Amino acid sequence: MVSEYLFAIVATMMLSNGLVLAIMSRDLPDNLRPAAHTWQAGTFLIAIGCGLFAIASERPPPMLLVIVNTAFLIGLLAYNRALAKFYGFKASNWLYLPIAVGAFSVFWFSMVDENFQARIIIITIAWCWLMLASIRILARPPRADDSISRRVLLIIFMIMAVFTALRASVFLFSPLPTDFSVTTGASTVNVVTPIFMAVLPVLGTTSFILLCSDRIRLQWEHAASTDYLTGLPNRRTLTQRAEQLFKTAGQAGAGLSVAIFDIDSFKKINDTHGHDVGDRALQHVADILSTHAGNRTMVARSGGEEFVMLLDGPPEQRLEGLRKAVEDAPCKTDGKVLPLTVSVGGASRGPSDADFSGLLRRADRALYAAKSLGRNRVEVSDPQEDGLAAAGPRAV
């Protein structure tokens, strides 16, 4: 009876965790709810299976074994589907195969040709197949979405897969009484099994909830550091990164340059074509700048129609190439071809620049000069000039 009591306890714990996830899922973002609901379904299915074992007799009827094992298999599949939805992976239809084979083997070797060893071998392979599929998802998450909760969940799946294999080994290679049943306390493995069965639905569900919490935190951090329209870093992120680079460049004696790109006559674009077209023009220029900037260059939107770029060397030739890239790629939207140009002001770190703000001010004055001299051109501030004085831009 010990095993039955344990199955009843763990079934109650699983249902409780599933209910907690059901309550919390109502407050999750829309993009996380499908994964949460699928995980919740898996937890309820495994809880139902454990509950059925709890009320089973010492010799459970074969059909009950089929129902319980099928519930376990579908529950493990639901966990895999939940993780696939969470990480945006394509679900594999091959995972229906272990469910079909596992359920049929339990039916055949318990109702038609009773064979405990064959049943254990096949159902163990089916369980491990499904758990290894989830391990594979957890082992290759997106780089920006790595978290401790993911690693904990990965370890839980690995422990469960190892335990499932060891459990089968004990049943296959240890002498068992002729009246042995998986629901009695006659075997130590039977006593330990419900405890381990609770690990994935209880601790795993808690880890999954933390996984969702980590994703929400990352989304908020991304929203706080990113411009919502263009997807580029915002001014706050730019300033933090620029101050760090300014300090590092000073210590290493390396070069640091900054450039400000301003879309010419942007107000006229909004007034003539509307703000929707203006937004698409901003996205178009952002795409060009980020595409042509290179891996070692940071591009950010500082506000309005202005973009700021951090470079690790002299800016002159690179800025002219970027200006021309914008000019040569008009924005095509709503069947219209909208020519775009940018005025660019650049500045390289000089001996008079005490901080990034001074360097940025020189680039801003160079931008003003470029617009005053007719727009669609590049002006670069002389690094030998005083950062607070009226720097003398020079054309490129």
Side-chain angles (χ1 to χ4, degrees):
M1 296 295 291
V2 175
S3 181
E4 288 90 330
Y5 285 134
L6 287 174
F7 271 117
I9 292 171
V10 300
T12 303
M13 294 171 61
M14 293 175 195
L15 288 172
S16 299
N17 266 38
L19 289 173
V20 169
L21 179 57
I23 294 171
M24 292 189 62
S25 65
R26 294 182 300 177
D27 296 326
L28 291 176
D30 292 341
N31 62 327
L32 294 181
R33 285 182 189 171
H37 290 160
T38 305
W39 187 280
Q40 174 190 331
T43 297
F44 283 149
L45 282 167
I46 296 178
I48 291 171
C50 289
L52 291 174
F53 261 149
I55 63 175
S57 61
E58 291 191 1
R59 298 287 294 178
M63 184 52 68
L64 181 63
L65 293 176
V66 175
I67 294 173
V68 168
N69 280 280
T70 302
F72 286 166
L73 289 168
I74 298 176
L76 291 173
L77 176 66
Y79 286 159
N80 178 268
R81 289 290 189 263
L83 293 172
K85 290 177 181 179
F86 185 87
Y87 287 112
F89 294 147
K90 184 178 179 180
S92 172
N93 291 329
W94 281 103
L95 294 182
Y96 290 108
L97 181 59
I99 294 177
V101 173
F104 180 77
S105 69
V106 175
F107 165 78
W108 185 266
F109 292 114
S110 60
M111 299 183 67
V112 180
D113 181 17
E114 188 172 354
N115 188 324
F116 178 74
Q117 285 76 14
R119 192 176 77 207
I120 285 295
I121 291 173
I122 297 175
I123 201 66
T124 298
I125 292 173
W127 286 11
C128 288
W129 186 342
L130 292 168
M131 285 186 280
L132 289 173
S134 294
I135 289 172
R136 184 169 180 266
I137 292 176
L138 289 167
R140 55 187 183 100
R143 182 179 301 177
D145 203 10
D146 193 13
S147 63
I148 295 177
S149 54
R150 177 200 65 84
R151 291 193 287 270
V152 170
L153 194 54
L154 174 62
I155 292 172
I156 289 174
F157 269 102
M158 293 172 68
I159 290 174
M160 284 302 302
V162 171
F163 170 76
T164 301
L166 291 175
R167 174 178 178 268
S169 300
V170 172
F171 285 153
L172 292 174
F173 300 110
S174 298
L176 298 175
T178 55
D179 61 343
F180 174 79
S181 172
V182 293
T183 60
T184 68
S187 169
T188 304
V189 176
N190 283 357
V191 177
V192 175
T193 293
I195 299 174
F196 270 88
M197 288 296 297
V199 170
L200 190 51
V202 176
L203 298 182
T205 298
T206 302
S207 298
F208 183 79
I209 292 173
L210 293 175
L211 199 65
C212 292
S213 177
D214 288 339
R215 173 66 65 84
I216 293 171
R217 176 181 56 80
L218 287 172
Q219 289 175 344
W220 278 107
E221 288 178 356
H222 180 75
S225 62
T226 306
D227 174 58
Y228 77 97
L229 181 64
T230 62
L232 294 176
N234 57 20
R235 187 180 185 91
R236 172 191 172 191
T237 306
L238 168 76
T239 302
Q240 292 175 343
R241 178 61 175 161
E243 290 175 349
Q244 179 184 8
L245 288 176
F246 190 92
K247 181 178 179 181
T248 303
Q251 294 172 345
L256 175 66
S257 299
V258 62
I260 305 176
F261 296 77
D262 187 277
I263 301 177
D264 294 326
S265 305
F266 185 73
K267 185 177 183 301
K268 183 177 179 181
I269 294 174
N270 278 332
D271 293 342
T272 304
H273 302 284
H275 288 278
D276 287 343
V277 173
D279 287 347
R280 285 193 282 274
L282 287 169
Q283 293 168 338
H284 179 73
V285 172
D287 289 341
I288 293 174
L289 294 180
S290 57
T291 299
H292 289 79
N295 295 331
R296 299 180 65 183
T297 302
M298 181 178 184
V299 184
R301 184 186 176 198
S302 60
E305 66 270 28
E306 281 192 358
F307 301 87
V308 178
M309 181 179 293
L310 302 177
L311 307 98
D312 59 355
E316 286 85 349
Q317 296 304 317
R318 294 179 66 181
L319 297 186
E320 176 59 23
L322 289 164
R323 181 206 64 78
K324 192 172 187 308
V326 175
E327 183 181 32
D328 292 344
C331 179
K332 299 177 182 178
T333 177
D334 294 338
K336 303 173 183 176
V337 178
L338 185 66
L340 295 173
T341 59
V342 290
S343 298
V344 188
S348 295
R349 177 176 178 169
S352 60
D353 295 314
D355 52 29
F356 175 72
S357 297
L359 179 61
L360 188 64
R361 281 194 292 271
R362 287 202 293 112
D364 191 55
R365 284 195 286 270
L367 171 66
Y368 180 78
K371 296 180 78 69
S372 299
L373 293 172
R375 296 188 174 90
N376 190 24
R377 59 185 289 140
V378 176
E379 294 290 332
V380 177
S381 176
D382 190 340
Q384 300 302 319
E385 296 286 344
D386 186 347
L388 298 178
R394 60 182 187 276
V396 175

